[in-house]
Structures are given as C-alpha cells and as structure tokens.
C-alpha cells in the first residue's frame, strides 16, 4: 500500500476541516440552512479521512516501509511488533497525527451524538472545532509531514531506541492526548456558547460530559506518566516538577477547577463568566503544554531538534486560537455575567473556594514553569526552578484543599445551616486524630508536613467513605465520593512513601547483606547477562522480611548496542501496596558493588488513587440516575444536605 | 459599563504578554544557549591522527588560505548518518570538508564512512573529544566554517538538513 | 440564614476576594522563588563571586581528567569540575550516573558546605546526542544525562 494514500487522506481530512470550519459559520451568518447542515457530514468525513491517514502510517510502521522517512528514523525490523505499531506516535510528526486523529474523532462524536441545545448551536461548536483542527492540519502538512518519503529507501531503520520500547511510555501519549483534545471540545462549547449566547444550565449540563471524560483521560495519562517515571528513571521519585510534567499538570488543574465550577452553572446558573474563562484556559494550557515541548521556548533539555520555523508556526497558531477566544471572551462575557446570588455558607461558595484554591495552585505551577524562561528572555541569569519551590508552596495548599474537600460535600445548595455539620464530620475528625496519633507515637514520624499529610488523608478518606454510607445515593454522588477518596488515597501513598521511607546506600561484596529493620537484602551473585540488543551486569539480591523470603531482585547496569546507551535497570518487589526498590551501581575494583536500596511503604497507593479518581470522575456524570426508589418524600427531606454532585 | 469592559480584556492582555515572552525566547532558542563562544576566535591548537585511510587533521591545515567546513561527527551519532547526503551535496558543490571524529575508533569510523559516504579530505580522530571543548561544541553533529586564517566564522548546531546547505555555502563565501 | 447580597454587589465581593487570594498566592510564590531557584554557575563564575554556603546552585563544566577518586568506604565520589578558566572540587554520595567520565560534561546540583567543599546531591552527566525526542530526553536527563545545555 502506498503511503501516498495516507498523505492524500490527510489532505482530504484537512479539506473537510476547512469545510467544517467555514461553511457553518457562513451559513449561520447568512441564514443559509444548507451550509449549516454541512457541519455534521464534514465532521464525520474529517474523522474518517484522518483515521485512514493514521492507519496507513501505522501500516507503514508495521511492514517497516523504509521509503517513509519517519519509519526510517524511528523504526527497525528487529523491533517487537507492538512497538513497531506504537512507534507511530513516539516521535514529533506521528504524535501530531495522533493529536489530530483524536481531535477529528471527537468532532465526529459531537456530530453524531444527540444535542439538547439545538442544531444551530451544534453547528457552531463544530465550526469552532473545524477551525482549530485546520491549524493543526496545516502544521502537519506544511511543517511536519509524517508521510515524507526517502529515495532510495534504506534497507534498515535507525530507530531501535530501547528507552522508547516500554509499555508505560507507549500508552502515556494517547491517554494524554485524549485528555487534551477532550478539553478542545469544551473549548469549542465555550466559544460557541458565547457566540450563540446560550450559556446557562442546559449548556453546562451538556458541556460537562466531554469535560469529565477528558479530565478522566488526563488523570490516567498523568498517573501513568508518574508511574513510568518511577520505575524507569531509577531514582525512586514519582514526580519531578519538570516543565514536561508541569505541561500536563496545568491543564489538569484547570480542568479540575472547571469540573467544579461548571456544576455551579448547572445547578445555580452562577459563575458563568468564570467558567467560560476556565474553558478557554484549559485547552489553551493543553496547547501550550504540548508545544512548549516541541518548540524550545522553555529553555530546558526537552526540545526536539528545533526547527525555528516549527516553533514560530506553533506560536502563531496558539496566538490565533487563544487570542481569538480571549477576544471573543472580552466581547461576549459582559453579556453572560448576570447569575444568581448565593449565601456565604453554601455548596456554591465551597465550590468557589475550591476554584480559588485550584486556580491558585495552577498559578503557582505556571509561575514556576515560566519564570526561568521569563528571566532568560529579559537577559537575566539561567536558573532552574525545581521541587523545593513547588513542594514548599503547593503542599500546604494541597493540605488545605483536602480538609475543605472533606467538608464541602456535606454542605447543601442554598443552605447555610452548620448545626449538623459537626456531627456529620465526627468520623472524619476521629479518623484524622487517630492517624496523627499513630503517626506521631506509633510510627515515630517527625516533620509537620508528614504528620499533617497523614491527618489530612485520613480526614478526607473518612469523610468520603461516610458519604458512601448515606441513603439516597446516585452514581453522581458515588462518583464524587470515590474521586475524593482517590485523592485521599494518593495523598496517603505520597505521605507514607516519603515519611516512612527507609534507605541504604552501601558498598557490598557477594555474601554481604543490607539490614533495614525487618528487611534483609543479601547479595548472592553479580554476573554478566545478555539480551536481544543489550549486555548487562546483573546482581542477584535475595530480599526477606522478618526472615520470610519476599523476592529475588535483579537490578542491572545495562549497555544497549544500537544505539549505544548505558542505562540503570532498577529492580522492584511489591509488599502490601509498598515496594522494595533496588539500584545497582559501579564496582570499586576490589570486589565490592554499590547498591542503593529503598523501602517505600504504600507507594503504590499514589497510582491506585489516580485510577480511583478517574473512575469516580466519569461516574459522577450519572447524577440523574437514581439507584433506589426514594422511600417517600419524608425520607428525602430527612437525608440532609446530600444532593447531586 | 466601560470599566467592566476593561476587566474582561485582562485575560487577553495577560496572554499577549506571555506570547511576547515566548516570542523572545524562540529567538533565543537552544541554538543561542549552546552557541560556542569561540565564533570569531582562532581555532585552538590540536593535532589528530587520520582515519579511514585519510590524513589526520591539525590546526595548521585550517590555515590554508581557503575557508573550510569542519564537521564534528561520530559513528554512534544517529543524526550524523542523516546528514550524510547533505555533506555529500556540499562536497559536490565544491565546499572543502574536513571531519573530526569524536570519541570513536578508527574501525568504526572506517565502517561509518564506508556506509554513508566520505565527503572529507581529512579526518582527525579525536578519541577523547578534546576538540569539542576547544571549539566550544556541546554535542554532535556540529559544523564550523573556518576561514583561510584559521578563525572560526560560523557554527551550525545539529544535523545539516537540505535547507541548511545554501546557508553553509553562503557562509563559506562570506569567509573568503 | 445569612442575607444574600445583591448579585452585582456579590459579584464585586467575589471578584475582590478572588483577586486577594490569587494575589496572596502570587506573592507567596515569588518569595518562594527567590529562596529556592537554583542558579547555573560555572567554576569561573564561582571563582569570581563565591556563593554563600547552603545556597543551592547547579555547577556545570567538565570533569577534569585525573581528579576522580573515591572515599575509603567507596560511597563518596570526589572529582574536580573545570571550565578551563577555574576549578571547583566536588563531593557526591550516591550511585554515579552511567555516562559520568573524565573529560565529559557534568552538571552537579548542590551547595557549598561550611568548609568550602561543594556537596552535590544530584549529578547529571552530559549525553552527546543532539537530536532526541522529548520523552527520551526527559528520561535521559533523569537518569543523569541531559541533552544539550540547560
């Protein structure tokens, strides 16, 4: 199959995007029903053609068609099949094609799904989507053509990079892109809503669906990325606050705030202007994030081989889209601000507090990420902003959030009575006190941050679990409680693996053992081993706990052959949601080997919490579905303050 | 209403500020960061044995009266293989080319130029990579324009893509 | 029940509260930045203006050949970083990154202790490739080999 088919399909998809973007807008302006009706078929066509282009590229990778430059640079006949296929998106051009595919696909979904807001509105949404997609198609076709050919075709590819052959790294981009692109749908809803002047509860109810799905995907993508970094990068950390990570965290924070403020629009028709701004910000941050990594604007090690043309192209795209949306906002937001008032102590105001906190956190991350760049642009010194800054400012905010998250679901809409609140929060209070006491006196934890972390996670967990035990539950309420519980679980994992971590760095001979409390790690053997494209020195270390054998860990220092690269392959063993983490270092020439060992209790909870959050977020969409028939109105009135998420 | 209109403009203005900041930094892209401070200065003294059957390279060779392209490469460097056709094109268009093989062996270099073509008249085998430090290079591949008196006049970072070929030819002309 | 303010007035109050909170967060952030940002310095910079003990910096340069050694227990690495103008001595406790070699570029993050010795908490040895996709570049950096200069 000629790759030119894919190239042609891409052009057709771009044409469909052009049609989808321009025709409905002109039709709405000129009251031409025919043009407006083109929106839906154009969107479906765009989806189909992009899918064809993507499948053709995937096929080229699968059969190792080295007439395609991208395949030459990024693939190899010796690559395992799965990585040949997924290698499609492990490079700049291919990942952009994936981005465009997800975008086209979601546009097709919007075209095909029922809409409660009418054909006119939907046509407007598709038109915005089409215009956004057009820019990316242009970038692909003119500056990053995935179907560029090579003649004569080489007989072998150059892309056997072992670091890219990894399941975690492989599925991280699609999940993230699903999240970013989902935010583009919300973006389109917001712009369309402003242009059609339909912002209100019905708009919010519908816009919420792609938002929640996008948020869940983003959560999963970030969780996966964190887990990958933990096991692959060899130092036991799970978040490094580097620009690449922050680029995915910032849209997530915006989406989290948005998820909560859109509910206020839905239930009380308030916070409309703010919600619109967040909708624009979410996708803007997603765009900025993806492209910061590709254009070298952030002076870090993370630039692709920088082609200044690409960087400028991307920047112009971003300026047009974000600037355009914000200009529309400046013009139209004045119309949509008249919302209803609300009481000081009410669900609405707790959601406002949530939004303030999350936005403050977003601002802090944004400042920390952009500050080095700003300083450098103004001729200042080169600096790096890392974990010390982010942890110092964000951890206290996170703890405050956790406390508020425990309280807020108990406060009703329009309600302000606080009388029953203390009774309902009693379990949470007891749990928090118990956790703090155990941490202080049983586990011997020192350090205010750690102790508060244990307390906050226990508080939030207990509060969320007690919600789950109430009557009148809907999937919406269950989803919210589970998502908040997921946050508590992650906080527990992060706190425990930090506060209770044990660590040993030794120089040991065969037969020596590391002893850490009940843990014992004995070095059995160190010998060379070989794999399909690598050789390594591998240590065999037997790990026991209280004398009972747990696992034999085999950390390696590995040398890959093509391309030549040395890596450290850590070895891990799980124990009750915690992990033993082992890294092998260099020999000292006298028969001793450097070994670094960590015991990280409860560390896996960090990622289990993420999974729970994503699941809860999607479940929370089902707030209209009742699980049990209400036992009469009296029971409903008696079940206090517990209303839809 | 006038006043509140301005409030709604605030996000747009803020964004404009960020874009301007980024635009300045695209101008200062990583190329500027890793620019060698040796541009405009004479090539430091070095002398390397030859490789792949070609004579070696020493600084005196770069004071021949004619501007020369000095290409830093290695057999383990993937982009160096990708830029091979462009080097060949430069040679065809009459550009004098010499190579510095960084942290590599005679065997590997011979195999590399055998496979990708040999556009060089000389190859200096720099097994320890000291020439990189001397020239202010931060990685491979990099290509320098050195004029007839041994002064570094231009630095190209990264692989040479087809669009860079006319640029390098122009710089060679300017260095006469 | 607390009386609800009129919508316009409430919007103003909300906006003011929001602005105050965000301003506070911004101020906290900027203060934290001053404290925690790490400057990139070469041995020449350090010779010209020595940083205060305890101040975290990123020291970049080449590992001077012939200066690499280990402590008796084998766990602490000693070496000298040079930029051909000046030298700085460094100590690092931990597993050394794979590409750490004499004559190769290195970035050491850490601070000077009270005795004037640079104690590194993190070592990044430079990798020579220029063209690397971002995920690989990120993982290379975290393993200890950043791509390009940072």
């Amino acid at each position: 199959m000629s790759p030119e088919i894919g190239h042609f399909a891409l052009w057709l998809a771009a044409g469909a995007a052009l049609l989808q973007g321009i025709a409905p807008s002109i039709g709405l302006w000129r009251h031409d029903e025919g043009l407006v009706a083109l929106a839906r078929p154009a969107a479906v066509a765009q989806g189909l053609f992009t899918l064809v282009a993507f499948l053709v590229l995937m096929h080229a990778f699968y059969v190792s068609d080295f007439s395609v430059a991208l395949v030459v640079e990024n693939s190899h006949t010796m690559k395992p099949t799965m990585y040949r296929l997924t290698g499609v998106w492990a490079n700049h051009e291919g990942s952009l094609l994936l981005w465009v595919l997800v975008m086209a696909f979601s546009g097709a979904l919007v075209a095909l799904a029922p809409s409660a807001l009418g054909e006119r509105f939907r046509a407007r949404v598709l038109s915005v989507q089409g215009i956004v997609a057009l820019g990316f198609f242009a970038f692909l076709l003119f500056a990053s053509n995935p179907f560029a050919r090579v003649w004569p075709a080489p007989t072998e590819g150059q892309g056997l990079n072992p670091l890219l052959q990894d399941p975690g790294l492989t599925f991280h981009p699609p999940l993230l892109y699903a999240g970013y692109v989902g935010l583009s749908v919300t973006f389109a809803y917001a712009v369309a809503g402003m242009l059609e002047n339909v912002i209100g509860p019905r708009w919010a109810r519908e816009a919420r669906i792609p938002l929640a799905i996008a948020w869940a995907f983003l959560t999963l993508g970030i969780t996966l990325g964190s887990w990958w970094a933990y096991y692959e990068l060899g130092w036991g950390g799970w978040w490094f606050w580097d620009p690449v990570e922050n680029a995915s965290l910032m849209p997530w924070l915006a989406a989290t705030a948005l998820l909560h403020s859109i509910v206020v629009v839905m239930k009380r028709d308030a916070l409309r202007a703010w919600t619109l701004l967040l909708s624009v910000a979410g996708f803007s941050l997603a765009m900025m994030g993806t492209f910061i990594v590709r254009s070298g604007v952030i002076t870090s090690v993370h630039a692709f081989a920088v082609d200044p043309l690409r960087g400028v192209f991307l920047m112009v795209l971003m300026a047009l889209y974000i600037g355009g949306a914000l200009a529309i906002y400046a013009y139209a937001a004045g119309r949509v601000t008249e919302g209803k008032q609300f009481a000081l102590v009410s669900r609405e105001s707790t959601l406002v507090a949530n939004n303030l906190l999350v936005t403050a956190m977003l601002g802090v991350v944004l400042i920390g990420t952009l500050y080095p760049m700003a300083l450098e642009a103004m001729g200042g010194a080169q600096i790096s902003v890392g974990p010390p800054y982010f942890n110092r400012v964000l951890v206290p905010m996170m703890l405050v959030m956790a406390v508020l998250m425990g309280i807020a679901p108990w406060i009703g809409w329009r309600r302000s009575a606080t009388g029953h609140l203390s009774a309902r929060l009693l379990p949470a209070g007891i749990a928090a006190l118990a956790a703090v006491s155990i941490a202080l006196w049983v586990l011997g934890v020192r350090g205010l941050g750690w102790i508060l972390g244990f307390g906050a996670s226990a508080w939030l967990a207990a509060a969320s679990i007690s919600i789950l035990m109430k009557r009148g539950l809907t999937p919406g309420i269950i989803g919210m409680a589970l998502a908040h519980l997921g946050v508590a679980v992650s906080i527990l994992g992060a706190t425990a693996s930090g506060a209770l971590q044990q660590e040993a760095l030794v120089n040991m001979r065969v037969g020596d053992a590391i002893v850490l409390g009940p843990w014992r790690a004995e070095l059995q053997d160190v010998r060379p081993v070989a794999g399909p494209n690598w050789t390594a020195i591998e240590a065999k270390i037997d790990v026991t706990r209280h004398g009972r054998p747990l696992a034999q860990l085999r950390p390696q220092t590995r040398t890959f052959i093509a391309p030549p690269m040395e890596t450290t392959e850590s070895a891990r063993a799980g124990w009750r949601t915690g992990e033993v983490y082992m890294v092998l270092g260099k020999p000292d020439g006298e028969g001793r080997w450097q070994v670094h060992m960590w015991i990280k209790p409860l560390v896996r909870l960090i990622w289990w919490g993420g999974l729970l959050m994503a699941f809860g977020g999607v479940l929370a969409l089902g707030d209209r579905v009742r699980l049990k028939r209400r036992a009469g109105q009296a029971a409903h009135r008696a079940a206090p303050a517990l209303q839809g998420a | 209403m006038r006043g509140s209109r301005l409030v709604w403009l605030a996000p747009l203005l803020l964004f404009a500020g960020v874009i301007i900041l980024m635009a300045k930094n695209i101008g200062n892209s990583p190329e500027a960061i890793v620019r060698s401070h040796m541009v405009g200065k004479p090539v430091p003294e070095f002398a390397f044995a030859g490789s792949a059957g070609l004579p070696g390279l020493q600084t005196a060779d770069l004071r021949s009266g004619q501007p020369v392209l000095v290409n830093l490469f290695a057999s383990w460097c993937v982009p160096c293989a990708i830029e091979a056709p462009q080097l060949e094109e430069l040679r065809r268009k009459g550009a004098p080319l010499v190579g510095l093989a960084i942290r590599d062996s005679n065997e590997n270099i011979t195999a590399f130029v055998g496979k990708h073509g040999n556009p060089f008249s000389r190859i200096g085998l720099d097994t320890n990579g000291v020439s990189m430090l001397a020239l202010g290079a931060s990685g491979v591949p990099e290509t320098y324009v050195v004029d007839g008196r041994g002064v570094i006049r231009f630095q190209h970072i990264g692989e040479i893509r087809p669009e860079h070929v006319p640029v390098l030819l122009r710089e060679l002309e300017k260095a006469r | 029940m607390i009386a609800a303010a009129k919508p316009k007035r409430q919007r103003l109050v909300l906006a003011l509260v929001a602005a105050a909170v965000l301003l506070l967060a911004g101020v906290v952030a900027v203060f934290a930045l001053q404290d925690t940002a790490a400057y990139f310095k070469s041995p020449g910079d350090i010779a010209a203006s020595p940083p205060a003990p305890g101040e975290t910096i990123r020291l970049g340069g080449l590992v001077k050949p012939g200066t690499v050694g280990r402590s008796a227990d084998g766990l602490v690495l000693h070496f000298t970083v040079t930029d051909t103008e000046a030298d700085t001595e460094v100590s690092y406790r931990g597993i050394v990154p794979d590409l750490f070699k004499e004559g190769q570029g290195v970035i050491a993050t850490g601070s000077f202790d009270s005795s004037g010795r640079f104690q590194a908490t993190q070592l990044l040895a430079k990798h020579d490739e220029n063209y690397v996709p971002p995920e690989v570049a990120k993982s290379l950096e975290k393993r200890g080999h950043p791509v390009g200069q940072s």
Side-chain angles (χ1 to χ4, degrees):
Chain A
M1 181 200 314
S2 168
E4 289 309 316
I5 297 178
H7 197 190
F8 187 54
L10 203 57
W11 274 102
L12 288 178
L18 180 65
L19 194 66
Q20 181 188 332
I22 308 287
S25 285
I26 297 181
L28 287 170
W29 179 38
R30 291 270 190 223
H31 303 288
D32 184 339
E33 293 283 333
L35 284 179
V36 172
L38 279 177
R40 294 176 69 193
V44 175
Q46 190 199 134
L48 282 174
F49 287 134
T50 318
L51 183 63
V52 168
F54 188 80
L55 288 177
V56 168
L57 187 63
M58 198 175 243
H59 175 83
F61 269 82
Y62 179 64
V63 301
S64 294
D65 180 350
F66 292 125
S67 73
V68 179
L70 204 62
V71 181
V72 174
E73 287 164 22
N74 295 290
S75 195
H76 196 284
T77 50
M78 267 171 47
K79 238 184 183 179
T81 309
M82 174 169 115
Y83 294 120
R84 280 213 308 275
L85 289 174
T86 58
V88 170
W89 59 73
N91 57 78
H92 167 70
E93 292 86 344
S95 65
L96 257 182
L97 185 57
L98 176 67
W99 171 285
V100 156
L101 174 67
V102 183
M103 199 172 242
F105 194 63
S106 53
L109 276 178
V110 170
L112 294 171
S115 171
L117 288 161
E119 279 312 308
R120 199 194 147 91
F121 176 74
R122 195 216 319 248
R124 184 71 79 176
V125 170
L126 288 176
S127 174
V128 173
Q129 254 258 341
I131 294 175
V132 173
L134 196 59
F136 290 97
F137 275 115
F139 183 61
L140 257 181
L141 288 168
F142 297 123
S144 309
N145 184 8
F147 295 104
R149 309 293 289 280
V150 167
W151 192 257
T155 49
E156 188 54 272
Q158 292 153 349
L160 204 50
N161 196 323
L163 286 176
L164 294 176
Q165 293 174 39
D166 176 286
L169 195 52
T170 290
F171 293 107
H172 173 66
L175 285 172
L176 276 186
Y177 287 3
Y180 291 152
V181 172
L183 289 182
S184 82
V185 176
T186 313
F187 176 87
Y189 263 82
V191 174
M194 282 192 281
L195 292 173
E196 295 295 305
N197 205 6
V198 294
I199 305 294
R202 269 194 319 165
W203 171 88
R205 187 169 288 282
E206 192 166 305
R208 194 169 155 239
I209 300 171
L211 174 63
I213 297 174
W215 181 88
F217 273 123
L218 260 185
T219 309
L220 287 176
I222 293 174
T223 304
L224 186 60
S226 161
W227 183 57
W228 172 82
Y230 166 79
Y231 73 71
E232 183 61 33
L233 301 184
W235 308 114
W238 51 272
W239 194 264
F240 304 91
W241 294 113
D242 75 34
V244 174
E245 287 172 328
N246 294 347
S248 64
L249 184 66
M250 288 191 282
W252 183 86
L253 285 170
T256 304
L258 185 53
L259 214 50
H260 292 84
S261 80
I262 209 171
V263 170
V264 179
V265 180
M266 196 169 84
K267 295 267 181 184
R268 299 282 291 127
D269 201 12
L271 294 186
R272 288 188 277 180
W274 173 247
T275 300
L276 284 175
L277 188 59
L278 272 182
S279 306
V280 172
F283 183 56
S284 308
L285 287 167
M287 272 197 285
M288 249 179 45
T290 294
F291 300 140
I292 268 173
V293 194
R294 296 166 195 269
S295 65
V297 290
I298 294 250
T299 53
S300 85
V301 300
H302 300 112
F304 272 111
V306 173
D307 188 346
L309 169 68
R310 280 183 184 171
V312 172
F313 200 125
L314 291 175
M315 218 179 54
V316 169
L317 267 188
M318 263 175 33
L320 281 175
Y321 291 144
I322 304 177
L326 287 177
I328 295 177
Y329 181 79
Y331 172 73
R335 290 191 284 180
V336 300
T337 49
E338 295 306 325
K340 304 214 174 50
Q341 64 259 40
F342 44 83
L344 184 59
V345 182
S346 61
R347 179 71 70 86
E348 302 94 287
S349 50
T350 63
L351 289 176
V352 168
N354 154 292
N355 260 245
L356 280 181
L357 258 177
V358 175
T359 308
M361 288 166 80
L362 172 60
V364 166
V365 176
L366 194 62
I367 291 176
T369 307
L370 294 181
Y371 184 64
M373 174 184 85
L375 202 62
E376 188 144 357
M378 298 192 285
Q382 264 188 322
I383 59 162
S384 84
V385 175
Y389 163 78
F390 290 101
N391 289 335
R392 180 187 298 194
V393 187
L394 289 174
V395 167
M397 289 169 137
M398 187 67 235
L399 293 176
V400 171
M401 267 225 71
V403 171
L404 289 181
M405 278 164 78
I407 304 176
W410 294 106
I411 299 181
W413 295 97
R414 300 182 233 206
R415 214 73 71 100
S416 68
T418 52
H420 296 288
L421 207 54
S422 22
R424 286 171 218 141
L425 287 173
L426 194 59
I430 295 175
L433 270 172
V436 167
S437 313
I438 295 175
L440 258 180
W441 292 303
V442 176
L443 299 171
V445 174
R446 295 288 172 268
L448 187 63
W450 299 129
I451 296 174
L452 289 179
F454 281 114
S457 96
W459 165 273
L460 181 55
S464 306
I465 292 174
S466 31
I467 293 179
L468 289 171
M469 311 215 288
K470 286 280 142 194
R471 286 167 298 173
L473 287 181
T474 65
I477 299 173
I478 298 175
M480 169 198 61
L482 285 180
H484 288 183
L485 182 61
V487 176
V489 167
S490 286
I491 295 180
L492 179 61
T495 311
S497 64
L500 303 173
Q501 172 174 278
Q502 292 175 286
E503 179 180 349
L505 172 67
V506 300
N507 231 359
M508 58 197 309
R509 289 177 206 287
V510 172
D512 288 348
I514 304 174
V515 178
L516 276 178
W519 298 91
R520 187 170 191 277
E522 185 176 316
L523 181 60
Q524 300 296 327
D525 192 13
V526 182
R527 62 179 58 236
V529 297
N533 55 343
W534 50 265
T535 59
I537 305 290
E538 181 179 273
K540 289 201 179 106
I541 301 179
D542 281 337
V543 179
T544 65
R545 186 171 193 275
H546 287 307
R548 277 193 298 274
L550 178 70
Q552 184 182 76
L553 292 180
R554 303 191 181 185
Q556 295 177 352
T557 51
R558 194 183 277 192
T559 307
F560 284 92
I561 300 167
M565 193 180 294
E566 283 181 45
T567 61
T568 312
E569 304 295 318
S570 62
R572 299 144 46 227
W575 181 77
R576 292 194 199 167
T577 78
E579 288 202 351
V580 181
Y581 195 108
M582 202 89 73
V583 171
L584 177 68
K586 300 268 189 318
D588 68 352
E590 292 164 24
R592 292 187 301 178
W593 296 84
Q594 269 187 326
V595 173
H596 203 155
M597 169 167 142
W598 291 266
I599 310 286
K600 294 174 172 289
L602 302 185
V603 71
R604 290 182 180 174
L605 290 183
I606 297 174
W607 306 294
W608 283 117
L611 291 182
L612 196 54
M613 282 164 68
F615 177 67
V618 175
L619 199 58
L621 283 175
D623 62 319
R624 276 217 153 134
V625 179
R626 291 264 148 203
L627 284 181
K628 294 190 179 81
R629 291 221 354 224
R630 290 179 273 164
Q633 293 289 40
H636 177 60
R637 264 197 290 278
L642 240 276
Q643 303 189 20
Chain B
M1 255 334 195
R2 266 281 147 94
S4 65
R5 260 297 157 85
L6 282 177
V7 169
W8 304 122
L9 268 176
L12 181 61
L13 294 175
L14 213 71
F15 174 66
V18 171
I19 283 283
I20 292 172
L21 213 63
M22 288 191 168
K24 282 192 80 174
N25 251 52
I26 274 203
N28 301 346
S29 72
E31 305 203 25
I33 309 305
V34 296
R35 276 247 163 250
S36 164
H37 56 274
M38 291 296 293
V39 175
K41 300 215 185 81
V43 175
E45 289 298 321
F46 57 69
F48 297 114
S51 176
L54 289 174
L57 184 66
Q58 54 186 346
T59 311
D61 299 322
L62 298 171
R63 291 195 277 261
S64 60
Q66 225 206 51
V68 163
L69 284 175
V70 181
N71 177 252
L72 274 64
F73 72 106
S75 67
W76 44 260
C77 155
V78 172
C80 300
I82 294 179
E83 72 172 359
Q86 280 73 265
L87 286 174
E88 180 56 31
E89 193 186 331
L90 282 163
R91 183 193 68 84
R92 266 202 326 261
K93 297 210 165 122
L97 275 159
V98 297
L100 273 172
I102 307 293
R103 264 190 275 276
D104 216 333
S105 69
N106 189 26
E107 213 182 297
N108 289 340
I109 291 296
T110 309
F112 182 85
V113 298
K115 182 167 169 202
H116 297 284
N118 192 348
F120 306 116
S121 56
R122 292 174 174 279
I123 296 180
L125 196 60
D126 179 2
T127 38
N128 289 322
V130 297
S131 65
M132 272 182 65
L133 173 62
L135 290 171
S138 62
V140 283
E142 287 193 16
T143 306
Y144 292 85
V145 173
V146 178
D147 71 12
R149 285 160 306 144
V151 175
I152 301 174
R153 299 288 289 271
F154 183 76
Q155 178 198 26
H156 174 88
I157 297 174
E159 79 246 31
I160 300 174
R161 279 192 245 159
E163 59 263 27
H164 300 137
V165 170
V167 175
L168 283 169
L169 289 170
R170 216 173 30 236
E171 291 297 329
L172 266 178
E173 267 306 305
K174 274 173 33 185
R176 274 193 192 283
Chain C
M1 175 144 171
I2 298 167
K6 288 215 273 278
K8 247 208 162 95
R9 173 120 180 273
Q10 170 182 278
R11 197 159 27 106
L12 185 62
V13 169
L14 265 184
L16 283 177
V17 169
V21 167
L22 293 178
L23 200 64
L24 183 66
V27 165
V28 169
V30 169
F31 268 106
L33 270 178
Q34 316 284 25
D35 253 357
T36 57
Y39 282 85
F40 181 89
K41 294 201 187 284
S42 66
D45 295 331
I46 290 177
S49 62
E55 182 189 327
T56 304
I57 59 165
R58 302 181 92 206
L59 173 65
L62 289 187
V63 179
K64 193 167 184 178
T67 62
V68 179
R70 281 192 175 275
S71 60
D73 65 3
L75 294 175
V76 181
L77 183 75
H78 302 297
F79 61 95
T80 303
V81 175
T82 179
D83 62 354
T84 70
E85 282 173 43
D87 293 351
T88 306
E89 290 180 0
V90 178
S91 298
Y92 172 74
R93 186 173 192 278
I95 293 201
V96 176
D98 311 310
L99 276 197
F100 179 86
K101 250 195 305 238
E102 294 187 352
Q104 190 113 353
V106 70
I107 299 180
T109 307
S111 57
F112 284 93
D113 62 18
S114 39
S115 69
R117 195 164 181 91
F118 189 79
Q119 300 288 348
T121 52
Q122 192 193 29
L123 280 190
L124 310 183
K126 279 199 176 187
H127 193 272
D128 275 325
E129 297 269 354
N130 257 1
Y131 174 80
V132 184
E135 291 84 11
V136 178
K138 171 183 172 190
S139 101
L140 281 174
E141 175 189 329
K142 289 305 174 302
R143 282 168 186 281
H145 343 132
V147 178
Q149 212 167 66
S150 45

